[in-house]
Every structure is written in C-alpha cells, then in structure tokens.
Amino acid sequence: MKQDGKIIKGVGGKYTVLCGGETVTARARGVFRHEQISPEVGDNVTVRIEQEGDAYIEDIHERKNLLIRPPMANLDYMFITASAAKPAPILATLDKLSAICVHSDIAPVFVITKCDLDAAMGERLAKLYGHSGFPVFTLSAEDGEGIEELRAFLGENLPGKTAAFAGASGIGKSTLLNALFPELGLATGGISERIARGKHTTRHVELFSALGGMVADTPGFSMLDFMRFDFMTAEDLPYAFPEIEPYLGRCRYTKCTHLCEDGCAIVEAVQNGEIEPSRHESYVELYNILKDKKEWKKVPH
Ligand SMILES: Nc1nc2c(ncn2[C@@H]2O[C@H](COP(=O)(O)OP(=O)(O)OP(=O)(O)O)[C@@H](O)[C@H]2O)c(=O)[nH]1
Ligand SMILES: [Mg+2]
Ligand SMILES: [Zn+2]
C-alpha cells in the first residue's frame, strides 16, 4: 500500500510521516543515499507500507526549497527569533539567516523575545528590522506581552503553510511555542549563567499541526553554525536584502558592488539613514565571503 504524507520528524534514520490524520514511522530507501539526497522534515513524500507493517519512504516530492540550518524543506515562513537579552542578539547571524530565507523564497518574520528583560533593546531591534522591511514582533513569554499579536498573525498567515522558529540556543523558542500553543508541552531549558548561552535543550526539528498549518520548533544555533555561507552568488546577494533591491540600477557604475564605491546609491542610502548601517555591514561581510565563488554549488548534507 502506498500513501502520501509529510515528514514531521526524523531521528536516527527513522522518519515520522503524517499521512492524513495518522502518523507512520518509516525508513528511507537506500537509493536516496546513493543519490546524496536525504529526506528532511517538511518533505512531502510517498510511503510504501509493506504487509508486515514495515514502511519505507519511496519518493521525495519536488521541493520548494531546502535549508541546511535548520535542516528543513518546503518552508513558507521563517520566524527569525532573537532575544533582547540573555543571550544577546548577534545581528550578523540574523542578517545571514534572513538573506538565506529571502533567497530561498521563505518569508522572514522577526520575533524578539525576552523584552521583559530589556525593553529598550527590544525596541531597537524592532525599529532596525521594521525599517528594513520585515514584519517584527516584540514580546515576552514571561509576562505574556505581545503574544496575542503574534498569535493573530499566525491565525491569519499559517493556514495551509509551513513555518519554523529558528535562532540561537536559549532565546526562548520552545517557551514561546508553549505560550502560543500550550498543548505542545515542549521541553525548555535554562541559560548557563556564566557565559549567558543556551543549553541546546531542543535536539530535533519537529513540525506540529497548528491553526490549519504546520509550525516547527528547531534546535538553537551555536556560535559555529553560520560559518559557512555559500548558498548563493555575490550577484544574488543584493536581491536577498529587500531594502537594498529598490536602489539597484541607480549606482554610477553598472558593475558597482555596493561596498564603498563613489556614486553607489546603496552607500548613499546608508549615509542618508534610509538603509540601516548594520544591515549594510552584514551585506559587506557576506559579499566578501561570496565574491570568489563563481557559481552556485550545491551543498551536500
Ligand atoms: N525573562 C524571560 N525569560 C524567558 C523568556 N522566554 C524564555 N525564557 C527563558 O529562557 C530560557 C531558555 O528558553 P528555551 O525556550 O528553552 O529556549 P530555546 O530557544 O528553545 O533554546 P534551545 O532549545 O536550546 O534552542 C528558559 O529558562 C526560559 O524560561 C521571556 O520572554 N522572558
Ligand atoms: Mg528549544
Ligand atoms: Zn552600488
């Protein structure tokens, strides 16, 4: 018997596939390994269920997109989550993740948690990312502030779609998902006080059905996770920054790289306060990583 479904979890080569209302535990067929494709959470698949009850993923349907971190396929929304404090937000990481999402046709939404700890930082980040053209939610799972607004956004946008919450370890992704959807009962962890870092409490990506769509909790990033960045070419990069795109074509030199050239419309927009300086700094950092790369190379995973 064959059934179509969606992978909601994958641990140690065993995949949980949601087929209709039922879950099936399936293994991947060996053929995927030869093809260097591995099934990922979010994949739409065909499962073959044998008479003895063993189930195999037989086919992975065409993907809309695929991310390495978090390892997921077919995302529509990414809730890029950062905390106002403990651990402090790292803008370069947030900008990398948003660039990867835009490039992959995933709509980024910024969520700033723990605003009870540092409301001013929450406001600063909201202004920064709001000005850069993204939806932003500031909230606190501790006192409930801002949770209803995010729930309303999800109620409107999640039906029929797949979303993930991603960001550094310890910023409160699982705590927030529990506040939004108490029935999930996700494990949450503390913060190591000495270094103010998370403890990697969430170990696996898992998709949950909610509000007529699907939403994933994901393991927090560590400091090293975003070292590589070869998902696109330097030519693609300006299009991965929505606030830069409107200025393209207005620079003095047609081959402008928008780093610091005279007559660069983007550099001018930074100087005029139209583009946020930290966003341009991230653009420059990513450009320098990508500039020697000639063509897009598929990253094995
Ligand atoms: N003050 C405050 N603390 C919070 C808030 N949200 C979460 N926390 C605390 O932050 C710590 C980490 O929360 P988690 O939800 O486990 O963080 P996570 O992002 O899921 O972490 P990983 O699973 O490691 O990626 C816990 O001690 C939470 O109680 C908040 O809004 N305010
Ligand atoms: Mg977690
Ligand atoms: Zn330019």
Side-chain angles (χ1 to χ4, degrees):
M1 184 180 71
K2 283 187 189 183
Q3 266 190 312
D4 283 351
K6 194 178 195 65
I7 299 178
I8 56 171
K9 190 175 173 179
V11 179
K14 267 175 140 177
Y15 298 89
T16 308
V17 185
L18 186 63
C19 300
E22 311 265 299
T23 55
V24 175
T25 304
R27 296 191 166 275
R29 273 188 24 192
V31 58
F32 293 127
R33 243 165 303 163
H34 301 301
E35 291 168 4
Q36 285 205 325
I37 299 175
S38 67
E40 299 291 353
V41 173
D43 267 326
N44 298 312
V45 296
T46 303
V47 177
R48 172 187 286 279
I49 302 163
E50 312 219 302
Q51 286 200 325
E52 315 83 73
D54 293 338
Y56 296 92
I57 295 174
E58 206 175 58
D59 186 29
I60 300 175
H61 304 179
E62 200 183 327
R63 290 167 169 155
K64 175 189 171 188
N65 50 45
L66 173 69
L67 295 185
I68 308 297
R69 187 124 346 234
M72 289 190 77
N74 299 320
L75 278 173
D76 299 299
Y77 287 96
M78 177 69 86
F79 290 87
I80 299 180
T81 312
S83 66
K86 282 212 231 169
I90 299 172
L91 300 184
T93 307
L94 304 179
D95 296 337
K96 265 184 209 179
L97 184 54
S98 73
I100 292 168
C101 287
V102 172
H103 182 72
S104 309
D105 196 18
I106 300 168
V109 178
F110 281 80
V111 175
I112 317 300
T113 61
K114 306 198 191 185
C115 290
D116 56 295
L117 296 180
D118 190 340
M121 176 60 96
E123 279 311 302
R124 214 192 108 200
L125 293 172
K127 242 178 102 191
L128 163 51
Y129 287 103
H131 187 206
S132 305
F134 301 101
V136 187
F137 292 89
T138 50
L139 49 84
S140 161
E142 184 74 17
D143 59 23
E145 195 74 39
I147 300 286
E148 283 315 312
E149 286 82 349
L150 179 56
R151 197 200 308 275
F153 180 91
L154 286 164
E156 226 166 84
N157 295 285
L158 197 57
K161 306 282 190 208
T162 304
F165 282 76
S169 177
I171 56 175
K173 298 177 293 299
S174 304
T175 306
L176 172 57
L177 281 163
N178 283 340
L180 288 164
F181 309 112
E183 67 278 12
L184 294 183
L186 301 169
T188 62
I191 300 286
S192 122
E193 283 300 331
R194 193 173 56 81
I195 46 173
R197 270 192 213 151
K199 293 182 173 171
H200 296 282
T201 308
T202 304
R203 291 293 183 180
H204 309 286
V205 178
E206 184 163 2
L207 269 173
F208 304 99
S209 301
L211 300 168
M214 305 218 73
V215 64
D217 191 12
T218 70
F221 306 141
S222 66
M223 301 291 278
L224 293 175
D225 274 335
F226 271 91
M227 296 302 276
R228 50 193 298 200
F229 187 84
D230 45 7
F231 299 87
M232 64 185 93
T233 63
E235 288 72 41
D236 295 331
L237 190 63
Y239 299 94
F241 283 71
E243 74 277 43
I244 286 182
E245 202 184 336
Y247 295 92
L248 297 175
R250 297 206 216 153
C251 304
R252 183 178 307 156
Y253 305 109
T254 43
K255 288 211 156 174
C256 187
T257 54
H258 322 305
L259 301 183
C260 57
E261 289 94 328
D262 359 303
C264 173
I266 283 104
V267 171
E268 253 166 46
V270 175
Q271 285 161 353
N272 296 340
E274 287 157 22
I275 290 177
E276 295 285 340
S278 67
R279 292 277 297 166
H280 185 250
E281 274 166 37
S282 295
Y283 170 85
V284 172
E285 185 186 321
L286 297 176
Y287 185 90
N288 285 325
I289 296 170
L290 295 174
K291 68 175 189 289
D292 301 322
K293 228 174 114 268
K294 285 287 167 278
E295 60 191 74
W296 187 78
K297 192 169 76 231
K298 198 167 187 311
V299 186
H301 55 273

